Amino acid sequence: MTEKGKPLTIVLATQNQHKIDEIRTILGDDINYQTIREYFDLKLQETGRSLRENSFTKAAFSYKVSGKASLADDSGLFVEELGGEPGVYSSRYGVDDKERISKLLANLKNKKNRKAKFKAIFVYYYAPGSFEVFEGECIGRIAMEPRGTGGFGYDPIFIPRGYNRTFAELGQTVKNRISHRAQALAKLKKYLMTYK
Ligand code: IMP
């Protein structure tokens, strides 16, 4: 992934170190990564009503402050029985991961339908007014209780389809192969190989 012989620089418009690690691992080492922290040290706000809106806002802002190609991810967990909640509000569902997980499990208590999916929407903003959108999803179900220590967020209660263990139990190698982020980033990778 080079542009005129130089490695492509991408600013990652996220302050979540877990996401940064996942993105770097999945996209690989041919890219020169920077993070929004190098240009802006306040918390990025997420006030939009869709993943796409939040992702676009973060990527466009990052491009504005850095002047460099920027990549933002907004993601969420959509639970069928809860009408798609917490969805776009996944990070605002409780004060921390522990509270968010407890609330979700309490809301699903005695419910048979535990189907859920993670969705990720990436916006790659690379020139004034120019951007591309990449989506990924990972289908699965919600575990009866938290299990495992890997990953972050809702990983201890999400069991991807075809597995009996949670993302937190499966570990990063498996997660980075099948996750919503992996699906979306595979599309971005293809795009970068074709156009950059
Ligand atoms: P945001 O994209 O930073 O707004 O994150 C949305 C919420 O979904 C956060 O609470 C994350 O913890 C959660 N989330 C996003 N991606 C994942 C994931 O891969 N595993 C577990 N939780 C996730």
Side-chain angles (χ1 to χ4, degrees):
M1 282 171 223
T2 58
E3 196 177 13
K4 297 179 195 103
K6 281 197 276 168
L8 175 65
T9 294
I10 297 182
V11 181
L12 303 179
T14 175
Q15 289 146 331
N16 178 332
Q17 190 58 44
H18 294 282
K19 282 190 184 180
I20 293 172
D21 292 344
E22 289 187 4
I23 294 168
R24 292 184 66 142
T25 304
I26 297 166
L27 283 184
D29 292 333
D30 291 344
I31 294 168
N32 176 34
Y33 298 98
Q34 296 184 344
T35 67
I36 183 79
R37 276 190 221 117
E38 293 169 46
Y39 299 93
F40 182 76
D41 60 6
L42 298 176
K43 191 170 172 3
L44 289 173
Q45 296 301 319
E46 280 181 6
T47 52
R49 279 176 296 153
S50 69
L51 297 181
R52 193 186 166 106
E53 192 182 336
N54 283 332
S55 197
F56 175 82
T57 306
K58 289 187 281 188
F61 177 75
S62 176
Y63 182 80
K64 194 171 156 200
V65 295
S66 70
K68 297 192 176 116
S70 292
L71 180 65
D73 154 32
D74 200 39
S75 36
L77 179 62
F78 294 73
V79 180
E80 194 173 272
E81 181 70 28
L82 304 178
E85 271 192 19
V88 68
Y89 302 106
S90 293
S91 61
R92 296 169 259 174
Y93 203 52
V95 292
D96 55 19
D97 286 339
K98 198 165 169 242
E99 188 180 300
R100 290 189 269 270
I101 285 178
S102 302
K103 184 172 168 186
L104 190 54
L105 290 177
N107 286 341
L108 275 185
K109 202 166 175 211
N110 301 326
K111 305 281 189 203
K112 273 214 178 82
N113 179 5
R114 304 188 76 86
K115 285 186 200 156
K117 62 182 166 192
F118 269 121
K119 280 193 207 172
I121 299 203
F122 280 85
V123 171
Y124 179 63
Y125 199 108
Y126 58 93
S130 301
F131 64 94
E132 297 286 336
V133 182
F134 303 93
E135 303 191 16
E137 63 176 44
C138 182
I139 292 172
R141 65 182 202 277
I142 302 298
M144 299 306 285
E145 72 286 307
R147 295 196 319 247
T149 53
F152 70 99
Y154 298 92
D155 281 349
I157 56 166
F158 184 79
I159 303 172
R161 188 165 66 186
Y163 294 82
N164 286 315
R165 291 187 290 163
T166 66
F167 263 163
E169 291 177 304
L170 287 167
Q172 219 51 59
T173 307
V174 175
K175 185 183 176 193
N176 286 343
R177 214 172 55 229
I178 63 172
S179 76
H180 45 312
R181 212 161 279 113
Q183 307 295 325
L185 289 173
K187 296 175 193 168
L188 169 67
K189 212 167 170 174
K190 202 166 161 195
Y191 167 83
L192 291 176
M193 286 188 325
T194 312
Y195 296 105
K196 297 288 161 186

